[in-house]
Amino acid sequence: FSISNLSFCMLCYFLIVIVSFFLSYIFFSYYLYAISTFLSFFFFLMIRRPPRSTLSSSSAASDVYKRQGINAEYGEAHLRDMEDVENHLLPPASKEDALPPPLEEGEPRRPLERLDPYTWRQCGFLLHYFTAGMVSQGLAATLYGFFRGYLEVEGYVYSTVSVLIWLPWSCKFFFGALNDCLPIAGLKRKPYIMIGWAVSAGMLLLLALRPIPSPYWCFSPDGTKLHTVCNPGARTSGGEYTLLMMAASFGLITAEVAADGLLVVYSRAEPFENRGKIQMSAMQVRFAGCMVSTLIVAFLMNSTEYNGDWSHTILSYNAVMGIIGAPALAMVPCAAWCIYEPASEERVVACEYFASCWRFFKRLDTLYLVIYCFFFNLFTGTSVSTTASGNVQEYWAGVKNLQSNLFAALGQIMLVLGLWLVKRYFLQSSWRKLQVAATIGMAVLDATMVYMTIYAVLRSQYFYMGDQMTEQFMFGVQMIVLNLVVIEVADKGNEGAVYGILTSISNLGEPVGRGMTNQIYALFTPALSDPANFTQDSERFRNTVALSYGLQYSLVVVGLLFVRMLPSQKQELHERKQNWPASALLGVCVLVFLGVVFVYFIVIDVLSTFPSTMCSKWVGGEGC
C-alpha cells in the first residue's frame, strides 16, 4: 500500500465499523455496539506498527523525532549534515518530500518537520474532524425531536436548551488562549484534544445508558398520536439531559479549538502556494461526519414520538447518543497515537503571550478583518432571513420532516463537493471574487425557487428544497475563505486565540441580525408570522411576502460592500501585516467592538431563556 491508500483504507474501515455495529444494534443492543466499535477501532490501530527508519527508507514520524533530537543536541550544523546524508541516500521521491516547505519572506527558519495528516500515523487528525462532525450534528439533529416531540417541553424551555447546549461555542477565544498558554507535557494541542474527547464521550455514553421517561403524549399501537397526556412529568425531566448535552458540547469545543490551533500549524508546513489544502480536507471530512449523523436521525429516529413521519421507532434517543458516543470514545486513544504535534520547547510566559495578542489587536489589518467577519456574515447569513421563510416552507411548499432532513444530507454532500472544487481549482483565485460569486449565485438560486413558490408557479417540496443543495455548495465556498484568512493572519504562539476570535465574531453576527431584522419585518402587514395568512393565500399577502424577500436580498447586497475589506489573496494579506500601521487606539477600538458584541450576545441568550422576555423583538422574538 502507498501511504495515501493506507489512510484512505483506514477512513473506509472506520465508516464500515460504524455501519456494521450499527446494524448489530438493530438486532441486539447498542451496548454491544458501543463496546464493539471501541474495541475494533483499538485493535485496528495495533495491527501494524509504524515503519522503522533505515538507510534507504525513512518514516515521516521517525524523521520528525530524529531531527528534533539532533537539533536539540547538536544544533543547526548537525542538522544540515543530516540533510546532506538524506539527500544522497533517499530515493528521488522521498528526497523531494524531505525538503522543507518554502518560507515566507521574513519568516524564521524552522526545523524540518513532516506534518502529513494523510499518513496512517497522523490520520487521527482527519478522523478527529469526522467524529466532530458526527457529534455536533448528532446533538443538533436530536434537539427538536426529543425535547419538543418526545418530552413536549414549553417553547421557552426549548429555547433555553438550545442556548445552553451551544453556549460554549461563543467562548472559543478563551479555550484557544487556554491551550496557547498552558501546554501539558510540552504539548499545546494534543492533550486538550484527548481531554475534550474524554469529557464528550463520557457525557454521551451517560446519555446513552440513562433511561428516558415515557413520552408526554399517548400513542396508539399503530403510532398515531392521541393528543392525550400520558406522562405529565416528562415536561419537567429535560433539565438533566440538557446539562449532560451541554457538558458533551463543552468537551467537544475543547477538542475542536485545540485541533483548530494544530490545523494552523499543519497548514504553515505546506508550501506557500498550496497552503490551505489540509484545512479544506479537514472541513470535507467534518461535513461528511455531519452527513452521517443527519442520515441516522432522518431515517432511524423519525417516528411520531419524535415528531417524525413513521409509526414505529427504529432508534431511540439513547441509541443515537450511543452511536455518536462510541466514535468519540475511540478518539481518545486515536488522538494519543495517531495525531502528531511538534513539541514546543519554548516556555510560554503569560505577559509575553498577551503582549503578542495585543500586537495583533493593534494592527489596522486586524480591524479590517474583524469588521469584515462581523458585518459580512451579519448581512449575508440566515439572521437577515424574512420571518415568512418558515411558513413559506411549511404551508406553501409543503416540506415534510423526512424530506427536509434528506435534502439537508444531500446539501452537505454538495458542501463537500464545493470544498473539493476550491481545493482543486480555485486555491489561488481571488478571495474577493470567490465570495462575491458564491454570494450572488446563492441569492439568485434562492430567489428563483422562492418567487416561483410564492406566486404558485410551482409549489413542490422537492423543487423548493432543491436550492438548499446548491446553496450549501456556495456556502462551502464562503466558509473556506474565512478559514484560509485565519491561517495566514495568526502569529506563531497565538494560533488558538486568533482562530477563536475570528470564527466567533463571524458567528456573533447572527443574534444581532436576528433582533434587528425581526423589528423590521414586524412592520409588514398582513403579518408575516401568522399561519392564517398563508392558509388564505391572498394576492395582497403574496406581494407582501415577496416584498419581504426583496428586502432580504437587498441586505445581502449591503453585505457585499464589506468584501472590499478582505484581502484578495495571501500575498496581499502579508503585505498588509507588514506595511499597514498599528496603534493603541486601533487596539482599543477592536477590543471595545468585540466586547460590546460579546456582551450583547450573552444578554440575548440570557433573556431568551425567560418566558417574560423571550418574546421581545430586540432579542429576536415576535413581540410581547
Side-chain angles (χ1 to χ4, degrees), residues 368-518:
Y368 269 49
L369 286 177
V370 168
I371 293 175
Y372 162 77
C373 290
F374 180 78
F375 286 101
F376 180 79
N377 287 277
L378 168 66
F379 289 110
T380 63
T382 57
S383 61
V384 299
S385 299
T386 170
T387 53
S389 58
N391 288 324
V392 169
Q393 176 174 317
E394 180 178 355
Y395 291 96
W396 286 350
V399 177
K400 304 299 183 183
N401 183 54
L402 176 62
Q403 284 75 10
S404 177
N405 287 324
L406 178 60
F407 275 93
L410 294 176
Q412 287 159 353
I413 295 176
M414 294 298 295
L415 195 152
V416 172
L417 176 62
L419 295 175
W420 179 83
L421 288 175
V422 174
K423 173 183 174 181
R424 182 69 176 84
Y425 298 106
F426 301 106
L427 192 61
Q428 301 302 321
S429 300
S430 169
W431 292 340
R432 295 173 186 162
K433 292 180 180 179
L434 285 175
Q435 287 288 54
V436 172
T439 304
I440 293 178
M442 191 162 53
V444 170
L445 288 171
D446 185 70
T448 302
M449 309 297 182
V450 164
Y451 282 113
M452 292 183 72
T453 301
I454 291 174
Y455 289 104
V457 177
L458 179 58
R459 289 185 175 178
S460 167
Q461 60 176 333
Y462 299 102
F463 175 77
Y464 183 83
M465 298 297 293
D467 80 305
Q468 292 196 7
M469 294 192 301
T470 51
E471 281 183 7
Q472 288 295 324
F473 178 91
M474 305 296 181
F475 176 72
V477 176
Q478 281 186 332
M479 186 173 49
I480 193 59
V481 171
L482 173 62
N483 288 274
L484 291 173
V485 169
V486 173
I487 291 177
E488 304 299 332
V489 77
D491 298 320
K492 185 177 180 181
N494 63 2
E495 298 92 346
V498 172
Y499 204 107
I501 289 170
L502 293 182
T503 53
S504 294
I505 195 63
S506 298
N507 298 329
L508 289 177
E510 182 173 350
V512 177
R514 188 170 62 243
M516 176 186 70
T517 55
N518 276 11

Side-chain angles (χ1 to χ4, degrees), residues 130-140 197 200 204 248 252 293 324-325 328:
F130 180 86
T131 309
M134 280 194 67
V135 172
S136 62
Q137 184 63 20
L139 290 173
W197 280 124
S200 185
L204 291 171
L252 176 61
S293 289
I324 64 177

Side-chain angles (χ1 to χ4, degrees), residues 37-145:
T37 301
F38 175 70
L39 292 179
S40 298
F41 188 64
F42 180 87
F43 174 75
F44 181 77
L45 293 177
M46 303 301 295
I47 289 177
R48 176 184 171 186
R49 68 178 184 176
R52 304 173 65 181
S53 298
T54 64
L55 289 177
S56 59
S57 64
S58 181
S59 70
S62 60
D63 275 347
V64 171
Y65 296 122
K66 175 177 63 180
R67 287 167 179 157
Q68 286 181 342
I70 291 173
N71 187 39
E73 185 175 358
Y74 301 109
E76 292 291 333
H78 291 266
L79 180 60
R80 287 193 296 271
D81 293 340
M82 177 58 70
E83 292 177 43
D84 293 336
V85 172
E86 288 181 339
N87 288 341
H88 289 288
L89 295 180
L90 289 177
S94 299
K95 173 182 174 180
E96 182 179 353
D97 290 340
L99 294 176
L103 297 175
E104 303 169 27
E105 185 179 355
E107 183 180 359
R109 187 174 185 84
R110 299 186 298 271
L112 281 174
E113 297 171 350
R114 285 184 179 176
L115 301 175
D116 187 1
Y118 304 103
T119 61
W120 81 277
R121 280 292 293 171
Q122 299 174 36
C123 66
F125 182 72
L126 293 181
L127 290 178
H128 158 85
Y129 279 96
F130 180 86
T131 309
M134 280 194 67
V135 172
S136 62
Q137 184 63 20
L139 290 173
T142 56
L143 278 180
Y144 181 77

Side-chain angles (χ1 to χ4, degrees), residues 79-331:
L79 180 60
R80 287 193 296 271
D81 293 340
M82 177 58 70
E83 292 177 43
D84 293 336
V85 172
E86 288 181 339
N87 288 341
H88 289 288
L89 295 180
L90 289 177
S94 299
K95 173 182 174 180
E96 182 179 353
D97 290 340
L99 294 176
L103 297 175
E104 303 169 27
E105 185 179 355
E107 183 180 359
R109 187 174 185 84
R110 299 186 298 271
L112 281 174
E113 297 171 350
R114 285 184 179 176
L115 301 175
D116 187 1
Y118 304 103
T119 61
W120 81 277
R121 280 292 293 171
Q122 299 174 36
C123 66
F125 182 72
L126 293 181
L127 290 178
H128 158 85
Y129 279 96
F130 180 86
T131 309
M134 280 194 67
V135 172
S136 62
Q137 184 63 20
L139 290 173
T142 56
L143 278 180
Y144 181 77
F146 181 63
F147 285 95
R148 287 291 289 159
Y150 191 90
L151 299 180
E152 195 68 27
V153 299
E154 299 287 350
Y156 75 92
V157 175
Y158 177 70
S159 177
T160 303
V161 170
S162 302
V163 167
L164 291 177
I165 288 177
W166 302 118
L167 185 61
W169 291 80
S170 63
C171 306
K172 295 179 73 173
F173 165 74
F174 302 104
F175 289 101
L178 178 66
N179 55 61
D180 280 342
C181 293
L182 297 177
I184 300 175
L187 300 175
K188 295 182 177 181
R189 318 294 177 193
K190 189 160 77 169
Y192 289 98
I193 296 176
M194 296 171 61
I195 292 171
W197 280 124
V199 172
S200 185
M203 298 302 103
L204 291 171
L205 294 180
L206 279 177
L207 286 167
L209 300 174
R210 189 175 187 84
I212 59 176
S214 301
Y216 179 81
W217 296 109
C218 297
F219 292 86
S220 65
D222 63 355
T224 303
K225 183 185 291 188
L226 301 178
H227 295 284
T228 302
V229 178
C230 278
N231 181 21
R235 281 192 167 182
T236 60
S237 61
E240 53 190 311
Y241 300 99
T242 301
L243 292 177
L244 289 174
M245 293 179 76
M246 181 181 178
S249 181
F250 177 86
L252 176 61
I253 193 61
T254 302
E256 279 268 74
V257 171
D260 289 342
L262 187 58
L263 176 61
V264 177
V265 177
Y266 274 41
S267 298
R268 283 178 173 172
E270 293 180 287
F272 183 73
E273 63 275 7
N274 293 327
R275 188 173 294 173
K277 286 189 174 182
I278 292 179
Q279 184 176 49
M280 279 183 273
S281 297
M283 295 176 67
Q284 283 178 294
V285 297
R286 192 184 196 284
F287 285 106
C290 291
M291 181 190 64
V292 171
S293 289
T294 300
L295 291 175
I296 289 174
V297 175
F299 287 99
L300 303 178
M301 191 180 160
N302 189 41
S303 67
T304 52
E305 289 183 349
Y306 298 100
N307 275 354
D309 302 320
W310 295 347
S311 58
H312 296 288
T313 300
I314 299 178
L315 287 183
S316 66
Y317 171 79
N318 297 107
V320 174
M321 292 299 104
I323 287 173
I324 64 177
L329 182 61
M331 275 306 306

Side-chain angles (χ1 to χ4, degrees), residues 536-551:
Q536 295 175 3
D537 196 11
S538 65
E539 188 68 25
R540 176 170 176 259
F541 183 65
R542 289 183 183 181
N543 294 332
T544 302
V545 174
L547 183 61
S548 71
Y549 273 100
L551 174 60

